[in-house]
């Protein structure tokens, strides 16, 4: 039961991080490889603020949310939009965005590495303290419980919004056929900016919760989580809200089993193994649907 609780806690962090990537990739066709840098730099910014003043958990979470959203918007406006304008076709734009995201991610990574000398940083100066609650033989921290609640609430909200709201329908229509959606009066740029802001905010929020949960992270932590999020999306199916949740908790369960039943040295290989296996057996993912191209 303790291992199961660990799976739910770890899966919630993966879900919160991967949800933003899945949203942008499945709707506006942007696979943002700068997502990990947003995750890390949002926490790093909160860390810098805490060096000047003491803050509680709500304000730190707000800083992470705002910094993540702003960074994501800047990347969209200054990098991805310019790439889309100059690309000769959609396929070329997707590849250039992929490479551009990797390039953009180096900037905040280099800043954090220079300031911290690549040492771990955390929120030790926060007024919020991580406490452990005991229920029989089960133990869970207050930050782990909060992470689970936040991840589930945001996942349900995103799924319902995409399925039931007019804006969600408009966003999904862009993912199916952007040109036809534009002819129907849907402003792709406006929807893309809003989607990137939401995705960045989720990355920043997950960064803060992850830092509190571990006690500290390094500037490279975002890169590690980026691979795990990619595995979650591939496993569940691009653009599927059910899929990204399934992928997040399945990956967390697989890593927990490897960690508890072996020496633990193979944990990092689980993500790559799952990506390779799914691409061989079911390229569209567990909940993905075959793409239909009409000419």
């Amino acid at each position: 039961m303790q291992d199961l609780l660990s799976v739910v806690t770890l899966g919630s962090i993966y879900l919160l991080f991967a949800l933003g990537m899945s949203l942008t990739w499945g709707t506006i066709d942007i696979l943002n490889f700068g997502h990990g840098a947003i995750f890390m730099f949002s926490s790093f910014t909160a860390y810098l603020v805490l060096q000047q003043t003491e803050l509680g958990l709500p304000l730190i979470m707000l800083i992470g949310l705002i910094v993540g959203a702003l960074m994501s918007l800047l990347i969209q406006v200054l990098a991805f939009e310019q790439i889309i304008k100059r690309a000769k076709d959609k396929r070329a734009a997707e590849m250039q965005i992929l490479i551009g995201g990797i390039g953009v991610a180096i900037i905040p990574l280099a800043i954090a590495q220079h300031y911290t000398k690549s040492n771990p940083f955390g929120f030790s100066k926060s007024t919020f303290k991580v406490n452990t609650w005991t229920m029989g033989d089960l133990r869970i921290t207050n930050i782990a419980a909060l992470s689970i609640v936040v991840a589930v609430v945001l996942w349900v909200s995103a799924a319902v919004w995409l399925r039931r709201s007019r804006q969600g329908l408009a966003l999904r229509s862009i993912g199916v056929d952007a040109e036809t959606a534009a002819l129907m009066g849907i402003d792709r740029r406006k929807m893309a900016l809003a989607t990137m802001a939401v995705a960045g905010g989720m990355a920043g929020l997950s960064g803060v919760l992850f830092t509190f949960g571990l006690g500290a992270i390094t500037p490279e932590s975002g890169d590690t989580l980026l691979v795990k999020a990619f595995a979650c999306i591939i496993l569940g199916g691009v653009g599927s809200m059910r899929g990204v949740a399934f992928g997040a908790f399945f990956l967390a369960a697989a890593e927990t089993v490897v960690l508890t039943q072996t020496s633990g040295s193979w944990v990092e290989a689980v993500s790559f193994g799952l990506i390779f296996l799914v691409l061989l057996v079911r390229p569209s993912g567990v909940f993905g649907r075959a793409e239909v191209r009409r000419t």
Side-chain angles (χ1 to χ4, degrees), residues 2 5 33 51 56 63 79 140 156 173 191 195 215-216 274 278 282:
Q2 185 62 51
L5 190 58
F33 265 35
Q51 303 309 300
I63 290 173
I140 185 171
V156 171
S173 69
M191 296 299 295
T195 305
L274 283 175
V278 171
R282 187 175 172 83

Side-chain angles (χ1 to χ4, degrees), residues 143-288:
I143 199 68
L146 179 63
S147 299
I148 295 170
V149 172
V150 170
V152 171
V153 168
L154 288 180
W155 173 71
V156 171
S157 300
V160 171
W161 178 76
L162 274 175
R163 180 61 57 183
R164 301 292 177 84
S165 70
R166 290 176 61 88
Q167 293 82 2
L169 178 61
L171 191 58
R172 286 189 289 122
S173 69
I174 291 174
V176 174
D177 191 332
E179 292 184 4
T180 303
L183 291 174
M184 298 296 291
I186 297 172
D187 189 339
R188 185 189 186 281
R189 183 174 187 271
K190 182 179 178 181
M191 296 299 295
L193 289 174
T195 305
M196 289 294 289
V198 170
M202 288 181 179
L205 194 58
S206 62
V208 169
L209 294 173
F210 191 67
T211 304
F212 267 118
L214 285 186
I217 63 172
T218 65
E220 296 80 20
S221 295
D223 296 335
T224 303
L225 211 59
L226 186 67
V227 176
K228 297 181 186 295
F230 189 64
C232 295
I233 297 169
I234 292 295
L235 178 60
V238 177
S240 171
M241 291 293 102
R242 289 183 301 164
V244 71
F246 171 81
F249 289 108
F250 186 89
L251 177 61
E255 289 185 344
T256 301
V257 169
V258 171
L259 188 63
T260 55
Q261 303 301 319
T262 69
S263 61
S265 57
W266 290 92
V267 170
E268 297 303 325
V270 173
S271 303
F272 291 100
L274 283 175
I275 292 173
F276 182 71
L277 183 62
V278 171
L279 288 177
L280 282 178
V281 178
R282 187 175 172 83
S284 60
V286 176
F287 291 95

